[in-house]
Amino acid sequence: MNILLVEDEKRVADFISRGLKGECWSVQHAKDGETAISYLKDGEYDVVVLDLMLPGISGQDVCLKMRTRHDYTPVLMLTALDSTDERVAGLRLGADDYLAKPFDFEELIARINALVRRAQEFKSDRQSEHLTYEGICFNTASLIITVDDKEVDMTTLERDILNLFMSNVGKVFTRERILNVVWADQKDPLTNIVDVYIGRLRKKLAPYGGLIKTVRGLGYRFG
C-alpha cells in the first residue's frame, strides 16, 4: 500500500511514518500543503493521511483541490480540533474519514484499511459497469454503447448479444447457446435469427464489426 502522509509536525510525522512502515506500507511524507499537491500530481497513492493545520495551504484546501481536479484518492483527515463543525466541514470538502488527535494507532490502521477496502469495492463496481474493447464501450448500468466515443442506438436483443460477447472475450458461442441465453428458448433452434442479429451488430459496430468472428462449424467469437 502506498500512503501520502501530510503532516507539518516532525515528531508526529516520524511517529506515524514508523508505524505505517511497520505495516510494510510505503510512506511518502509532505510537510506542507503545497508539497502534498505536487506529490499528488506526480504520483499515485492508496490513501492520503492529511493533517488540517498546515502552514500555507491548509489541509481543507488540499482536499478541495484534489476533488476539484477529480482526484478521488481516499482522504483521512487528522486534526487536534475535535468539534462537530470541523468534522462536517472536512467531510463536505471531500474527506472520506476523520480522526481527532490524539488517536490510538490501531484505530488509524483500521480506518486506513477500511478506506482502501471501500475504494477497491467501488472501483470493482465501476469497472463491472463498463465493458470496453478497442473503441467499443458498453455501460451496462446506463445501457449506453459508444463506438469511438459516438453513441450507437441498439435494440434490447442487440445489446444482450453484445453484452454476452464483451463479457466473454475470446470465448466461442454456438448459435444454440446464443439463442438460449438471449432468447431464452423462445426461438426454433433451426432459425437463422442469430446470424441476422450478428450481421446487424457488425454493421453498428463498424469499424470494429470484424471483432465478431465466425468460427466455422461452431458459432461466433468476439475479440
Side-chain angles (χ1 to χ4, degrees), residues 36-83:
I37 291 171
S38 176
Y39 286 163
L40 286 163
K41 288 180 179 178
D42 297 333
E44 293 186 4
Y45 302 91
D46 297 293
V47 174
V48 177
V49 178
L50 177 63
D51 186 38
L52 286 184
M53 307 294 287
L54 296 171
I57 302 174
S58 69
Q60 291 100 323
D61 287 339
V62 171
C63 186
L64 181 60
K65 287 179 181 293
M66 287 176 63
R67 299 318 188 214
T68 299
R69 63 186 186 89
H70 307 293
D71 181 346
Y72 298 111
T73 304
V75 172
L76 173 59
M77 283 188 169
L78 302 178
T79 183
L81 303 175
D82 188 23
S83 71

Side-chain angles (χ1 to χ4, degrees), residues 169-204:
V169 174
K171 183 176 180 179
V172 176
F173 286 94
T174 64
R175 291 170 176 80
E176 291 76 14
R177 177 62 175 158
I178 297 172
L179 275 174
N180 289 337
V181 172
V182 177
W183 279 270
D185 295 321
Q186 294 179 10
K187 288 291 181 180
D188 183 339
L190 298 179
T191 182
N192 71 338
I193 193 160
V194 171
D195 302 314
V196 171
Y197 271 81
I198 294 296
R200 292 180 182 176
L201 265 181
R202 283 173 170 160
K203 289 180 180 178
K204 290 188 176 184

Side-chain angles (χ1 to χ4, degrees), residues 122-177:
F122 176 76
K123 183 177 180 181
S124 177
D125 289 342
R126 292 293 296 172
Q127 287 177 336
S128 67
E129 290 180 2
H130 291 81
L131 302 174
T132 58
Y133 196 90
E134 294 195 12
I136 306 169
C137 181
F138 186 170
N139 186 317
T140 58
S142 66
L143 300 182
I144 293 176
I145 298 165
T146 59
V147 175
D148 288 338
D149 297 323
K150 295 181 180 179
E151 188 171 344
V152 177
D153 184 40
M154 289 194 183
T155 67
T156 299
L157 292 173
E158 289 167 347
R159 286 196 301 266
D160 288 346
I161 296 172
L162 183 60
N163 192 357
L164 178 66
F165 282 152
M166 294 187 72
S167 299
N168 298 273
V169 174
K171 183 176 180 179
V172 176
F173 286 94
T174 64
R175 291 170 176 80
E176 291 76 14
R177 177 62 175 158

